[in-house]
Amino acid sequence: MKKVYIETYGCQMNVADSEVVASVMETAGYALTTDIKEADAILINTCSVRDNAEQRVLGRLTDIRSQKREKKLIVGVIGCMAERNKEDLFKAGADLVAGPASYLDMPNLIAQAEMGSKAINVELSTSETYAKIIPTRIGMGAISGFVSIMRGCNNFCTYCIVPYTRGRERSRRFQDVLDECRSLINAGYQEITLLGQNVNAYGKDLDENKDFADLLEAVAKLGIPRLRFTTSHPWDFSSKMIDVIAKYDNIMKFIHLPVQSGNDEVLKLMGRRYNREQYLSLVKEMREKIPGLSLSTDIIVGFPNESEEQFQDTVSLVDEVKYEAAFTFIYSPRKGTPAARIEDNVTYETKSKRFQELVKHLEKHIEEHSRQMVGQTYPVLVDGVSKTDAGMLSGYTEENKLVHFKGDETLIGKIIKVKILESHTYSLIGEIIDE
Ligand code: 5AD
Ligand code: SF4
């Protein structure tokens, strides 16, 4: 049987998409392999959200192509870069290029590539949700699984390429999502993460009269031990959603709530549809209704013409919210987006200095949160052997903090109690507490 190796870059949605592709490839006669050396086909699932992500893939492609192989190898590039970069991708040695809505066409594309022709399908779709596909789970064993509940995005934040690469928002049917969650639970999964570019918008395009709060509640009731979701746009995060999160113990008290900037003018130019005050009052409502809530965020530094004062508004917002986790990015112009047309008077050096300053503030708060956890005991879902120390296991607390501890590998996939002994900025060290 021929073998396919899939390499995934970018967001969790891409991880979920790779599982759809793995499933479709099986129907094309390919078995999945985790050893790139034995692959007959290599598929690279790509991200376009920033330039460095795209450059890495182009480098990787050249790299793969430069290695001599004994057998014929098909190299495919799939995902967000497909449409935008098709010429460069073929030039760098791709045999096959497929966009995020063309994965059902993979058997046909692979057949073309096997015959020696260049294969391409980068059509966008307004309806494709891969409703009939049962994803082939690639990640760590049957512990934690992604379930994509919708595809695409309608928000068109002015800096963002996603609505162009992934197309319009469309939701999967309520029962289909529940069925997929049920099958994960039956297979012994301990954790499900519901995925969408903006999960808050779930159901708006359906005729089922169900919103994301309804879906979250229905999945929580199925009895999965841990339920998470991402990503949520602050402008349409409803009070009903907050109430559901507060009500169910198995919905993790962890919300990813990208703020992008703390300055009203910049937020407006970004097309974010909320201002600083509205964001902060949403955070207040969440923290009041959900005790022990952890918040994480995304922030873009150096939006075109961002002034020092505007940047300082972001710093002060970070100091006010005191996030438990954060992803920070230097703005990367994406051709085709409105923001990329703005002439920018801020140097990269200034942006980079501001970026460092912001990270210092974020890390101070994250370290403080981690320090406060020392001495306390938390339930941890053991996900495997630590990536940094083979003698240790690793896992995540409910608030999504990474913990390392000594223990037997038979604990992998179980939720156990761990007492925190030591804190670092991005991880904790603990010991297992016997019940
Ligand atoms: N430049 C930098 N960061 C970006 N993001 C999206 N588009 C860009 C861009 N052009 C960030 C946002 C988003 C995260 C997934 O990536 O913060 O929330
Ligand atoms: Fe991009 Fe905004 Fe949609 Fe997120 S909500 S994917 S940042 S356009």
Side-chain angles (χ1 to χ4, degrees), residues 72-92:
K72 181 169 165 20
L73 174 72
I74 293 172
V75 182
V77 180
I78 61 177
C80 286
M81 279 176 75
E83 203 282 321
R84 293 163 51 76
N85 302 71
K86 47 190 183 292
E87 282 94 13
D88 287 344
L89 293 170
F90 281 127
K91 244 186 255 158

Side-chain angles (χ1 to χ4, degrees), residues 339-409:
R341 290 193 288 273
I342 308 173
E343 214 177 308
D344 190 359
N345 64 17
V346 190
T347 64
Y348 192 81
E349 198 194 344
T350 305
K351 294 184 186 203
S352 174
K353 269 207 335 247
R354 289 180 186 162
F355 178 83
Q356 304 296 341
E357 183 183 339
L358 184 68
V359 169
K360 262 198 217 138
H361 282 257
L362 286 161
E363 287 189 342
K364 191 178 90 193
H365 302 303
I366 295 168
E367 274 163 23
E368 180 59 30
H369 288 299
S370 298
R371 243 194 325 271
Q372 284 169 4
M373 294 174 77
V374 174
Q376 305 200 53
T377 300
Y378 295 88
V380 169
L381 172 56
V382 188
D383 63 10
V385 174
S386 159
K387 290 195 181 82
T388 45
D389 180 350
M392 303 276 265
L393 296 177
S394 67
Y396 285 87
T397 66
E398 297 193 340
E399 36 295 271
N400 223 23
K401 287 271 185 187
L402 175 62
V403 192
H404 298 283
F405 46 90
K406 282 215 161 61
D408 194 274
E409 287 187 26

Side-chain angles (χ1 to χ4, degrees), residues 4-23:
V4 59
Y5 176 88
I6 307 180
E7 197 165 290
T8 307
Y9 294 83
C11 63
Q12 291 164 321
M13 193 60 130
N14 266 10
V15 177
D17 279 3
S18 288
E19 297 184 335
V20 167
V21 173
S23 170

